[in-house]
Amino acid sequence: MARIVVITSGKGGVGKTTTSAALATGLALEGRKTAVIDFDVGLRNLDLIMGCERRVVYDFVNVINGDANLRQALIKDKRTDNLFILPASQTRDKDALTEAGVEKVLDELSQEFEYIVCDSPAGIERGALMAAYFADEAIVVTNPEVSSVRDSDRMLGILSSKTRKAERGEGGLPARLLLTRYAPERVERGEMLSMEDVTEILSIDMLGVVPESQSVLNASNAGMPVILDEESDAGQAYRDAVARFLGEDRPHRFLSTQKKGLFGRLFRG
Amino acid sequence: MNAHPSPIQPIELKGRMILVSILRLHDADTHRLNEALDARMREAPELMRDMPLLMDVEHLTDISEEALTQVIEIVRRRGFKLIGLQQGAAAQSIAARTALPLIVLGSKGGELPLRTTQPPQAEAANESPPVAHKDSAPIQALHTASLVVNQPVRSGQQVYARGGDLIVLGTVSAGAELLADGHIHVYGTLRGKALAGVRGLVGAKIFCRRLDAELVSIAGHYRIAEDILDAERGDNRLVTLAGETIDISEI
Ligand SMILES: Nc1ncnc2c1ncn2[C@@H]1O[C@H](COP(=O)(O)OP(=O)(O)O)[C@@H](O)[C@H]1O
Ligand SMILES: [Mg+2]
């Protein structure tokens, strides 16, 4: 049985797809056979970030409708072993994701995979609820600003009541927070909420803090999950998050402004 | 100028809060409506009973007069107190037929979201009152049921303890709402709204480990965030009603 993880937030543009690609790739790098599914029907952009958009033939909705089987629709990642992508459709309408259809696809994937990562669309409507409904746990992606935190709070409330787990009386969905686009200098200037503020407001465990970084844009332009850029701060932060996800205890990094260079260090104290 | 000023005013207007929920209809199919209402009532039967309701029909397109009459009948039969239609274009055109007043709730007119009524996993304490002794006659329960919520109450969630106290062990987020016929205790930070004594208990109180609320209310009297001074916000606060004013003090 696979473990199903939903990457969700409430708000759009906070880094869900970036995170889905990074987590799925990170898990695969650790030898866990992983499938990542794009639930953002109509917007489809996981395949772009994974750099496999030219190899999309069939999509999630095709499989649900029976136009193709899973084997035909799953795209095997070219860079990373153990990693498969199930793209979203760009053209179909959102109602194509039926509960029964999604369940059937997840059940079938569960036979073969260790992890299934569901990249949720924005909002708290049907699409987002469907991505979360069958999950075993959630990673809520938040930016350090008030509106994003508020939306995540709302989403956490929904996760505690509107999932299959909750409806079966098995309690709310376990959820952890991933704080992305964190800019320490803006936090220090008081323009953004700090990691402590966000943790306190949401009272939830922190899976990781990913700094605001040009490397994310570069990676996405290159069609490569940023976690593969081992030199970059964001890539390293995602590696830490994956390690924590798998149970390792690692300290949070990239929380303060850049360390002083050699010159700064020579003159310190 | 009035020639004969009377010392006694014939009427008195008082600002009081009552809870009104908005029922937004997306579908006029009576069967599906019945099912959806059933599901909601199962979720929060206590909250739904006698709930004053505004109906929002802006999402229904071309509904017949007959269908609408049926819908109104269904809603009323469940014990909701239908007090009007949420102001909007569709409401405008059918208000005359339904004899319901048009009401604007909130500043955004027809744009208010449906109040969600999904309490988080809550457990009712004291479900079966204790019995004194096997042989003696059962004594009356000395305590009405309290509602204990052992997780955060988040934005968009609403919890109502009907007939008793509400005890929340976690944080209450901005955008969340607590209601109780009795007292409200919050053992985390209260950032949302808390309304104690909602059915008129003036002795109801709100206790919280940390107060940073959007609104506090007791027996319909209330203070909104704007009226709560910085000095009144802080750790270990007690909110009480003294006459007509809401008092906030340190415990
Ligand atoms: N850590 C980061 N630093 C800089 N830009 C980021 C970071 N994370 C995401 N972005 C950018 O933010 C935008 C939205 O990211 P995306 O993952 O598509 O969000 P979502 O899926 O939540 O809508 C993209 O342009 C992405 O490159
Ligand atoms: Mg996305």
Side-chain angles (χ1 to χ4, degrees):
Chain A
M1 272 305 271
R3 189 154 180 86
I4 304 174
V5 189
V6 60
I7 312 296
T8 187
S9 71
K11 204 177 172 71
V14 294
K16 290 181 294 296
T17 301
T18 305
T19 300
S20 300
L23 176 70
T25 306
L27 290 170
L29 287 173
E30 293 294 324
R32 318 293 176 115
K33 194 168 181 192
T34 302
V36 55
I37 308 179
D38 191 346
F39 274 78
D40 207 345
V41 173
L43 278 174
R44 193 182 126 182
N45 71 66
L46 178 69
D47 50 326
L48 289 172
I49 291 191
M50 300 290 298
C52 65
E53 74 279 9
R54 302 225 190 117
R55 293 197 287 141
V56 174
V57 183
Y58 295 109
D59 58 56
F60 193 9
V61 173
N62 287 136
V63 180
I64 286 178
N65 291 346
D67 306 334
N69 63 36
L70 254 180
R71 218 158 280 287
Q72 293 171 298
L74 277 175
I75 301 173
K76 184 173 179 352
D77 193 81
K78 277 201 165 144
R79 297 187 193 88
T80 315
D81 280 345
N82 306 314
L83 182 58
F84 291 79
I85 299 116
L86 185 55
S89 147
Q90 209 149 24
T91 49
R92 292 158 206 273
D93 78 297
K94 295 185 159 54
D95 293 339
L97 294 186
T98 59
E99 188 175 311
V102 172
E103 183 174 21
K104 188 178 134 258
V105 172
L106 290 175
D107 279 349
E108 203 177 326
L109 286 171
S110 287
Q111 309 296 317
E112 204 183 321
F113 288 90
E114 208 172 332
Y115 285 97
I116 301 171
V117 176
C118 303
D119 180 19
S120 172
I124 50 173
E125 310 296 328
R126 208 187 133 74
L129 297 182
M130 204 50 82
Y133 188 72
F134 297 101
D136 298 305
E137 74 178 285
I139 295 177
V140 176
V141 180
T142 303
N143 293 159
E145 42 163 277
V146 173
S147 68
S148 173
V149 171
R150 173 73 76 99
D151 284 357
S152 294
D153 189 54
R154 229 186 135 81
M155 180 49 79
L156 284 164
I158 288 167
L159 295 177
S160 71
S161 59
K162 295 263 153 155
T163 61
R164 181 166 66 175
K165 225 170 137 57
E167 285 174 8
R168 284 177 174 172
E170 294 165 10
L173 201 66
R176 279 180 287 181
L177 198 71
L178 193 80
L179 189 56
T180 63
R181 311 202 69 162
Y182 196 77
E185 63 286 350
R186 299 195 55 195
V187 173
E188 278 164 28
R189 285 202 300 269
E191 296 166 8
M192 273 186 171
L193 299 170
S194 68
M195 177 181 98
E196 291 78 16
D197 292 339
V198 177
T199 315
E200 211 265 324
I201 293 172
L202 292 178
S203 37
I204 178 181
D205 280 350
M206 186 71 75
L207 181 65
V209 180
V210 179
E212 169 79 24
S213 168
Q214 178 66 34
S215 63
V216 174
L217 296 175
N218 298 346
S220 117
N221 287 335
M224 179 187 90
V226 69
I227 195 168
L228 293 175
D229 180 356
E230 291 177 67
E231 301 293 300
S232 71
D233 47 0
Q236 291 174 25
Y238 273 120
R239 294 242 171 189
D240 287 353
V242 170
R244 283 186 209 105
F245 183 84
L246 290 172
E248 204 178 303
D249 193 14
R250 287 200 185 179
H252 292 286
R253 297 193 273 165
F254 315 111
L255 295 179
S256 50
T257 38
Q258 287 293 303
K259 296 222 168 46
K260 290 193 177 74
L262 180 63
F263 197 72
R265 256 180 278 151
L266 281 175
F267 284 84
R268 197 171 47 188
Chain B
M1 285 295 276
N2 194 331
H4 304 285
S6 155
I8 299 164
Q9 297 292 324
I11 60 165
E12 193 180 354
L13 267 180
K14 290 188 142 190
R16 282 293 203 94
M17 286 212 352
I18 60 162
L19 273 174
V20 176
S21 295
I22 298 175
L23 178 70
R24 179 175 289 168
L25 297 179
H26 293 283
D27 188 343
D29 180 280
T30 50
H31 179 67
R32 280 197 289 270
L33 180 65
N34 263 316
E35 272 185 353
L37 286 170
D38 280 342
R40 271 307 166 110
M41 307 223 16
R42 272 197 303 276
E43 257 175 33
E46 290 305 301
L47 186 63
M48 308 297 266
R49 208 193 308 155
D50 296 331
M51 181 191 261
L53 265 195
L54 264 189
M55 216 158 73
D56 178 353
V57 294
E58 297 309 305
H59 294 251
L60 290 182
T61 39
D62 29 87
I63 174 171
S64 70
E65 188 165 342
E66 194 197 344
L68 190 70
T69 321
Q70 268 183 13
V71 166
I72 290 174
E73 180 54 26
I74 287 175
V75 170
R76 283 196 167 132
R77 225 185 303 136
R78 286 170 191 266
F80 294 111
K81 301 278 176 281
L82 200 54
I83 60 170
L85 292 175
Q86 168 88 311
Q87 176 78 274
Q92 200 89 41
S93 69
I94 58 169
R97 293 189 260 142
T98 61
L100 282 167
L102 292 177
I103 296 178
V104 185
L105 208 66
S107 51
K108 285 185 251 148
E111 275 309 297
L112 275 179
L114 172 68
R115 180 198 288 286
T116 52
T117 54
Q118 324 142 355
Q121 311 288 307
E123 54 182 61
N126 224 8
E127 256 169 357
S128 45
V131 173
H133 194 271
K134 257 195 163 164
D135 299 1
S136 64
I139 53 162
Q140 281 286 339
L142 297 172
H143 181 37
T144 50
S146 306
L147 183 64
V148 179
V149 177
N150 52 16
Q151 65 185 72
V153 184
R154 303 205 176 264
S155 179
Q157 292 184 316
Q158 184 191 53
V159 187
Y160 177 33
R162 191 180 179 106
D165 296 350
L166 176 58
I167 299 164
V168 179
L169 299 179
T171 295
V172 179
S173 299
E177 196 168 278
L178 305 180
L179 304 131
D181 287 343
H183 306 303
I184 295 177
H185 305 249
V186 180
Y187 292 96
T189 303
L190 170 61
R191 295 198 176 86
K193 301 183 174 125
L195 298 87
V198 287
R199 286 198 290 178
L201 184 69
V202 293
K205 298 177 179 61
I206 300 167
F207 308 81
C208 53
R209 175 159 293 169
R210 184 173 175 79
L211 184 139
D212 192 12
E214 292 174 318
L215 176 143
V216 287
S217 162
I218 288 166
H221 297 273
Y222 63 91
R223 280 168 73 179
I224 56 173
E226 253 185 19
D227 308 328
I228 303 175
L229 306 175
D230 280 349
E232 291 173 314
R233 296 170 184 272
D235 293 345
N236 304 318
R237 298 296 144 146
L238 170 67
V239 183
T240 53
L241 183 64
E244 306 244 303
T245 49
I246 297 277
D247 253 10
I248 302 175
S249 57
E250 213 176 317
I251 299 172

